[in-house]
Amino acid sequence: MVDPIFQSSNYQLARKLLDASVLRQNAIASNIANAETPGYRRLDIAPDFAAQLKSRLAEGGRDFASVNPKLAEDAQARAVRPDGNSVEVERELLEMNRNTVEYEFLTDVVSKNIKQLRLAITGRAM
């Protein structure tokens, strides 16, 4: 009875995106912490994660279990220092703010699903 709510494509997609958001926040923190480390290359979510999500959605968006975000070196980041470090602190701070907004939106989506379940069970919203 509860499974259909937690198996809906919107809920499953939001959960995967939340996982990616948490991983991205860790990457951003690591990038900022290593902004002065010689040769450090910026990390972000691997680009194939978005491609995998798109293909699953095109297939009907039912099975997201095998799609997991992973960290990878950002191939598009250029070295900003002579020692090869590719971290731009200002960019990382902007990405952190953007990631925070996305995380808050996704937690709202997931909590609305849970609130609907609670309403169905108890007959009351709160």
Side-chain angles (χ1 to χ4, degrees):
M1 179 108 165
V2 174
D3 286 339
I5 293 173
F6 295 120
Q7 297 304 322
S8 75
S9 58
N10 286 342
Y11 181 80
Q12 291 297 320
L13 179 61
R15 283 189 52 208
K16 287 298 176 177
L17 290 172
L18 272 171
D19 291 345
S21 183
V22 169
L23 196 57
R24 179 172 282 127
Q25 191 72 12
N26 290 336
I28 292 168
S30 178
N31 293 341
I32 291 171
N34 287 289
E36 298 296 322
T37 303
Y40 181 84
R41 305 292 298 165
R42 182 181 187 278
L43 296 176
D44 201 0
I45 300 296
D48 68 330
F49 175 69
Q52 289 176 7
L53 283 180
K54 285 180 185 178
S55 71
R56 291 295 157 89
L57 284 172
E59 294 169 1
R62 286 285 172 211
D63 182 28
F64 293 105
S66 64
V67 180
N68 293 308
K70 295 178 182 128
L71 288 182
E73 201 174 278
D74 186 356
Q76 296 178 345
R78 60 181 173 76
V80 293
R81 294 179 20 171
D83 64 13
N85 188 305
S86 64
V87 175
E88 297 176 62
V89 175
E90 295 83 12
R91 177 182 177 201
E92 297 301 324
L93 294 173
L94 287 171
E95 288 294 323
M96 184 182 289
N97 287 335
R98 188 177 125 220
N99 193 56
T100 300
V101 170
E102 288 176 5
Y103 180 84
E104 288 173 0
F105 171 76
L106 291 167
T107 55
D108 191 43
V109 169
V110 170
S111 57
K112 282 184 181 178
N113 276 308
I114 294 170
K115 286 177 185 175
Q116 286 178 341
L117 177 61
R118 183 179 183 163
L119 178 62
I121 293 170
T122 64
R124 298 180 279 168
M126 289 301 226

